[in-house]
Amino acid sequence: MHISQAFATRSPEGSEGPDAGRIPARRPARGRAAAALTAAVAFALVLTGCGGGEGGNSAPKSAGSTADADRVEPLAAPPAPKLPVTVDSADGAKVTIDSTDRIVPLTGSLSEIVFTLGFGKQVVARDITATFEQAEKLPVVTRAHDVSAESVLSLKPTVVLADTTTGPAEAIDQIRDAGIPLLVVEPAKELADVGRRIDTVAEALGVPSAGTELKERTESRIAAVQKSIPDHRGGEKPRVAFLYLRGSASVYLLGGAESGAGSLLEAAGAVDAGKESGLDKDFTAITSEALAKAAPDAILVMSKGLASVDGMDGLVKIPGIAETPAGMDRRVVSIDDGVLLNYGPRTDRVLAEIVEQLYAKGGTGR
């Protein structure tokens, strides 16, 4: 279960907000320290920035990556579904879909794929984490990431898309018991999962060829961004720590090997400082000792997290931050919550932003 699904989503002011970046799965807490950390996270969660690149080494702009940063970019050709199709659900069920007239995707990432495949007009509701412009006026059928089966059923969907983090289980069962085709998709945890997710959704909607087109487009754009990464000074890759921050709840976490950010950082030519320092789980509470061991040259954060600690000035007040190379250089890479860990059709934009901020003139990589 994702952190942001397990607990109520709160904005920095404490009200519920549409933070879309789902933190990947946490393991069950063991021991008093882990239980205390989980309790602290449970108390308040929801799940930018530093300068852009300059000169010839900055990342190329992905299509739509500036003015259209909060929009998805659908494929040019309208979808022509070939239905019915029967597909395997990640929870073991076989699901037959015979209509895409009324689609309800229950995560922001799945919404992004559905809209980009060209089915935006058929989407009748959204999860709270679907924050891009084309989806913002749709009715929300989740509260604190818990699905309201009644809200979903009231919209008479012909197909519902969920992933294994979607809950509660009772809501999923209730939707299925009503006879609605509901497909569960494995979540994405790294760049390698992007194509699989696109293929799965496209097959379920009866447009596998569109899925192939979108997958190839996404992968080619990611590859183009990677080609823009400048050479590292002295041959050393920048060390970047992913921090999950919610100042309103005093939640300050350092990402490890299973945080979900490592794949992006490695694709950006960086080292995941938390993972490299020996953190083999998802998150651990920030301590001066952990930060000193990670020794990040830069810090990756979600934009709302940075805002919740009052920006850079507040960030360096967190014990241990100011003593790191990143804190001393005030070096932060800030990415919108709604896209950072989605691993979908806009991941090239996320990667381009990371590269642009990380290697800005005078910054970490040059």
Side-chain angles (χ1 to χ4, degrees):
M1 180 177 292
H2 290 295
I3 288 180
S4 59
Q5 263 203 279
F7 310 115
T9 301
R10 305 284 174 189
S11 70
E13 292 74 27
S15 59
E16 291 186 1
D19 283 333
R22 291 174 184 251
I23 295 287
R26 291 184 61 84
R27 300 294 190 271
R30 290 181 175 86
R32 291 185 179 181
L37 174 59
T38 300
V41 175
F43 181 69
L45 285 185
V46 217
L47 263 153
T48 359
C50 72
E54 299 178 23
N57 288 329
S58 60
K61 300 297 184 184
S62 302
S65 66
T66 52
D68 295 334
D70 293 327
R71 294 178 59 84
V72 298
E73 181 190 353
L75 295 175
K82 294 182 180 179
L83 300 170
V85 296
T86 299
V87 291
D88 293 324
S89 182
D91 59 355
K94 283 201 173 289
V95 180
T96 297
I97 299 162
D98 55 21
S99 173
T100 56
D101 290 346
R102 300 180 66 80
I103 307 171
V104 176
L106 291 177
T107 76
S109 177
L110 290 171
S111 292
E112 191 174 309
I113 295 172
V114 172
F115 270 81
T116 310
L117 285 170
F119 287 89
K121 292 182 178 179
Q122 289 101 300
V123 177
V124 296
R126 69 178 176 94
D127 169 68
I128 197 171
T129 65
T131 58
F132 53 90
E133 183 178 313
Q134 293 103 316
E136 64 184 0
K137 293 182 180 179
L138 291 169
V140 176
V141 291
T142 57
R143 180 174 176 80
H145 303 291
D146 279 349
V147 177
S148 167
E150 293 79 8
S151 296
V152 172
L153 293 173
S154 72
L155 294 166
K156 298 180 171 30
T158 58
V159 57
V160 174
L161 302 173
D163 70 23
T164 56
T165 69
T166 306
E170 294 80 5
I172 300 302
D173 292 342
Q174 188 175 343
I175 294 168
R176 275 198 172 139
D177 289 345
I180 307 301
L182 186 151
L183 177 69
V184 178
V185 182
E186 288 288 349
K189 298 179 181 179
E190 56 183 309
L191 277 175
D193 295 329
V194 173
R196 169 185 57 77
R197 293 259 291 184
I198 291 172
D199 280 341
T200 299
V201 173
E203 181 183 3
L205 299 180
V207 289
S209 60
T212 299
E213 180 185 351
L214 178 56
K215 178 175 66 174
E216 291 176 350
R217 186 186 85 176
T218 303
E219 291 174 349
S220 68
R221 289 179 176 181
I222 289 171
V225 175
Q226 289 185 280
K227 289 179 181 178
S228 76
I229 298 171
D231 293 335
H232 305 300
R233 282 191 309 231
E236 292 188 7
K237 296 181 179 181
R239 298 172 61 88
V240 183
F242 175 40
L243 304 188
Y244 180 83
L245 310 171
R246 280 301 173 262
S248 56
S250 298
V251 174
Y252 311 112
L253 305 177
L254 170 60
E258 298 180 11
S259 74
S263 180
L264 280 171
L265 293 175
E266 291 164 7
V271 171
D272 183 338
K275 175 182 176 180
E276 187 73 9
S277 70
L279 299 178
D280 58 359
K281 302 295 185 180
D282 44 15
F283 292 90
T284 188
I286 289 176
T287 64
S288 296
E289 293 78 11
L291 286 168
K293 191 173 182 180
D297 299 305
I299 290 170
L300 172 65
V301 293
M302 292 181 180
S303 56
K304 287 188 174 67
L306 186 60
S308 78
V309 297
D310 297 324
M312 191 70 222
D313 289 340
L315 179 63
V316 294
K317 294 177 183 177
I318 297 173
I321 297 287
E323 288 71 43
T324 65
M328 288 186 281
D329 291 340
R330 299 173 71 86
R331 195 75 188 152
V332 171
V333 176
S334 178
I335 306 295
D336 183 73
D337 302 47
V339 294
L340 177 58
L341 298 180
N342 266 5
Y343 287 116
R346 291 191 292 171
T347 295
D348 65 292
R349 302 185 200 176
V350 174
L351 188 60
E353 285 189 43
I354 292 174
V355 169
E356 186 174 358
Q357 294 184 45
L358 184 60
Y359 301 103
K361 187 175 182 179
T364 304
R366 296 186 182 175

